[in-house]
C-alpha cells in the first residue's frame, strides 16, 4: 500500500541536512521573464556534487543511524550518475563503504565522478533495471543498505527541501517547474509546495524518449518503458513496478506533465548558457526548454528547478555551437 511523505518529514529532513548541503540560490532569469511573470531559477547546479541528488542521499545516509539497516556494512545504489555521486559523497563524509551500480548508458564523465569519491563502481547491463538487479544481489549477499535513487521516504524528503526553500524565498510563487524522472524530486517538491501553498501549480517536465513516470501516470499504475538514449540522460530509467512512494506523490500532487523533444532539450541547454550564463545538463534544462517551446505559460511568479550541471564538457560545447549533438 503506497505511503505518502509528509510535510513534517520534509521539514525534519531540512533540519537534518542543514550544514551538509548548500542552500541554493533562487536567481531571477531576465531572459525568461515577462512583466507580470518573473521567472527565477532554483540553481541546484550550485550543490557540492553539482546536483540536487545530494539532498536526498545525505538525508538517507544520516538517517541510517536510526534505521533498521544500521548494522549494514555500507550502502549501495543504482544510479544514472548524479545519485551515485551524491551517495558516494555522503558515504565518504561518514566514512562508510559505498557501491554504485550503473548501466552502460551512463556517460563516462559521471562514472568517473563517482569513482573519484572513492566508491566502488559496478557497470551492469544497458538499463537502470539491469543495474538494480546487481543492487538486489549486493543487499542480499553483502549486507549493504540500499539507498534507492528516488522511491525511498528519506530520499524524497531530502529532495522536498527544495520546495521548502522555494516557498521561503518566493512565497508568492504561482508555478513551479520540476524535472520528472522516477518522481523523487518532483514528488517531494510537489508535496512540500502543495502543503504550504495549495494553489501553486506544480508541473513535471520530461523528455519524450522513454518517460516512464508519464506513461505510468497515464496507465494509472507503474509500467515498464524502454530506456532510450537521450540528452536528458538523468531522466532515464523506470520507476519500478513495485513503486511505493514516488508514483503516488506524482499522481496526487502534480498538476500536469509536459514532454519535450530532443531538439527542445538541446535548446534549453543552449539558452541556459548563452542567455543566463549557466552550464546545465539536459535534465536540468527541461524547465527552461518548456518555457522556450511555449509548452508552459507562466501565470505569474515562476520557479524553475535547475537540477544539475554534470554534463560532459565536449557534449555541452557541441550543443551550444551546433544544436543537437549527433
Amino acid at each position: 500500500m503506497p505511503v505518502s511523505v509528509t510535510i513534517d518529514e520534509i521539514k525534519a529532513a531540512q533540519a537534518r541536512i542543514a550544514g551538509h548541503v548548500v542552500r541554493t540560490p533562487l536567481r531571477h532569469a531576465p531572459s525568461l521573464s515577462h512583466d507580470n511573470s518573473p521567472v527565477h531559477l532554483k540553481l541546484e547546479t550550485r550543490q557540492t556534487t553539482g546536483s540536487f541528488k545530494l539532498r536526498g542521499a545525505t538525508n538517507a545516509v544520516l538517517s541510517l543511524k536510526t534505521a533498521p539497516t544500521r548494522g549494514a556494512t555500507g550502502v549501495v545504489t543504482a544510479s544514472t550518475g548524479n545519485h551515485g555521486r551524491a551517495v558516494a559523497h555522503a558515504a565518504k563524509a561518514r566514512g562508510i563503504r559505498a557501491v554504485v551500480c550503473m548501466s552502460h548508458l551512463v556517460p563516462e564523465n559521471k562514472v568517473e565522478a563517482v569513482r573519484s569519491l572513492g566508491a566502488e563502481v559496478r557497470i551492469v547491463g544497458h538499463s537502470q533495471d539491469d543495474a538494480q538487479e546487481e543492487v538486489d544481489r549486493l543487499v542480499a549477499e553483502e549486507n549493504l543498505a540500499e539507498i534507492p535513487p528516488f522511491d525511498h521516504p528519506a530520499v524524497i524528503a531530502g529532495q522536498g527541501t527544495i520546495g521548502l526553500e522555494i516557498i521561503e524565498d518566493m512565497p508568492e510563487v504561482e508555478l513551479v517547474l520540476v524535472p520528472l524522472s522516477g518522481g523523487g524530486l518532483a514528488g517531494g517538491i510537489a508535496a512540500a509546495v502543495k502543503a504550504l501553498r495549495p494553489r501553486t501549480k506544480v508541473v513535471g517536465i520530461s523528455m519524450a524518449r522513454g518517460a516512464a513516470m508519464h506513461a505510468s501516470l497515464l496507465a494509472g499504475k507503474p509500467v515498464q518503458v524502454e530506456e532510450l538514449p537521450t540528452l536528458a540522460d538523468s531522466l532515464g530509467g523506470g520507476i519500478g513496478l513495485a513503486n511505493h512512494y514516488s508514483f503516488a506523490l506524482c499522481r496526487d500532487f502534480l498538476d500536469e506533465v509536459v514532454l519535450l523533444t530532443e531538439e527542445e532539450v538541446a535548446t534549453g541547454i543552449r539558452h541556459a548558457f548563452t542567455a543566463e550564463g549557466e552550464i546545465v545538463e539536459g535534465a536540468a534544462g527541461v524547465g527552461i526548454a518548456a518555457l522556450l517551446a511555449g509548452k508552459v505559460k507562466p501565470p505569474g511568479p515562476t520557479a524553475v528547478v535547475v537540477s544539475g550541471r554534470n554534463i560532459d564538457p565536449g557534449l555541452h560545447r557541441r550543443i551550444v555551437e551546433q544544436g543537437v549533438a549527433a
Side-chain angles (χ1 to χ4, degrees):
M1 186 73 176
V3 181
S4 186
V5 174
T6 68
I7 188 65
D8 288 339
E9 290 173 304
I10 297 171
K11 289 180 176 178
Q14 186 179 47
R16 187 176 294 115
I17 67 178
H20 297 278
V21 305
V22 175
R23 192 189 195 287
T24 56
L26 188 65
R27 183 178 71 76
H28 181 239
S31 70
L32 298 169
S33 298
H34 302 287
D35 291 343
N36 297 319
S37 302
V39 174
H40 287 69
L41 305 179
K42 180 60 170 171
L43 294 174
E44 287 299 296
T45 51
R46 303 290 197 268
Q47 280 298 344
T48 305
T49 57
S51 164
F52 77 94
K53 289 285 191 177
L54 189 59
R55 293 174 183 264
T58 298
N59 190 47
V61 169
L62 292 177
S63 298
L64 285 176
K65 60 186 177 183
T66 57
T69 52
R70 59 184 177 272
T73 60
V75 294
V76 62
T77 191
S79 175
T80 55
N82 286 331
H83 176 66
R85 188 173 183 175
V87 169
H89 184 279
K92 183 177 181 180
R94 202 172 158 196
I96 60 176
R97 179 189 179 198
V99 182
V100 179
C101 303
M102 295 182 278
S103 82
H104 288 280
L105 290 180
V106 177
E108 186 60 28
N109 69 302
K110 292 187 176 182
V111 175
E112 288 306 314
V114 172
R115 285 200 178 103
S116 71
L117 289 168
E120 302 168 38
V121 174
R122 308 283 176 91
I123 305 297
V124 183
H126 294 277
S127 72
Q128 186 85 330
D129 290 336
D130 292 338
Q132 184 61 45
E133 290 183 8
E134 179 67 3
V135 170
D136 296 341
R137 185 188 70 79
L138 290 167
V139 169
E141 297 180 8
E142 299 190 23
N143 193 32
L144 295 176
E146 182 182 1
I147 299 183
F150 54 87
D151 194 35
H152 184 284
V155 171
I156 294 169
Q159 322 305 27
T161 61
I162 297 171
L164 297 183
E165 292 177 13
I166 289 173
I167 297 298
E168 289 166 1
D169 292 347
M170 195 180 187
E172 74 281 12
V173 65
E174 294 187 24
L175 174 65
V176 179
L177 304 183
V178 190
L180 177 62
S181 179
L185 175 65
I189 289 176
V193 169
K194 292 294 187 178
L196 299 175
R197 187 178 163 87
R199 68 187 184 88
T200 295
K201 188 176 181 180
V202 184
V203 176
I205 316 291
S206 195
M207 70 291 170
R209 293 173 62 86
M213 182 60 79
H214 177 254
S216 297
L217 292 171
L218 288 178
K221 63 180 181 179
V223 296
Q224 286 185 317
V225 174
E226 183 182 3
E227 189 172 346
L228 299 169
T230 171
L231 290 175
D233 56 90
S234 293
L235 301 185
I239 71 166
L241 295 181
N243 188 290
H244 295 291
Y245 299 93
S246 63
F247 172 78
L249 287 167
C250 290
R251 180 196 62 205
D252 294 345
F253 295 123
L254 287 182
D255 293 284
E256 185 183 355
V257 174
V258 170
L259 301 183
L260 302 173
T261 67
E262 293 299 292
E263 290 78 9
E264 289 166 343
V265 174
T267 297
I269 295 171
R270 188 165 55 252
H271 182 91
F273 183 73
T274 59
E276 295 294 338
E278 299 291 340
I279 295 176
V280 305
E281 57 190 271
V286 294
I288 294 172
L291 292 173
L292 294 172
K295 292 186 172 179
V296 179
K297 305 289 187 182
T302 297
V304 178
V305 178
V306 182
S307 54
R309 66 171 186 262
N310 299 320
I311 186 171
D312 177 78
L315 174 60
H316 184 267
R317 185 170 56 252
R318 291 194 297 274
I319 292 171
V320 170
E321 294 176 353
Q322 305 166 17
V324 178

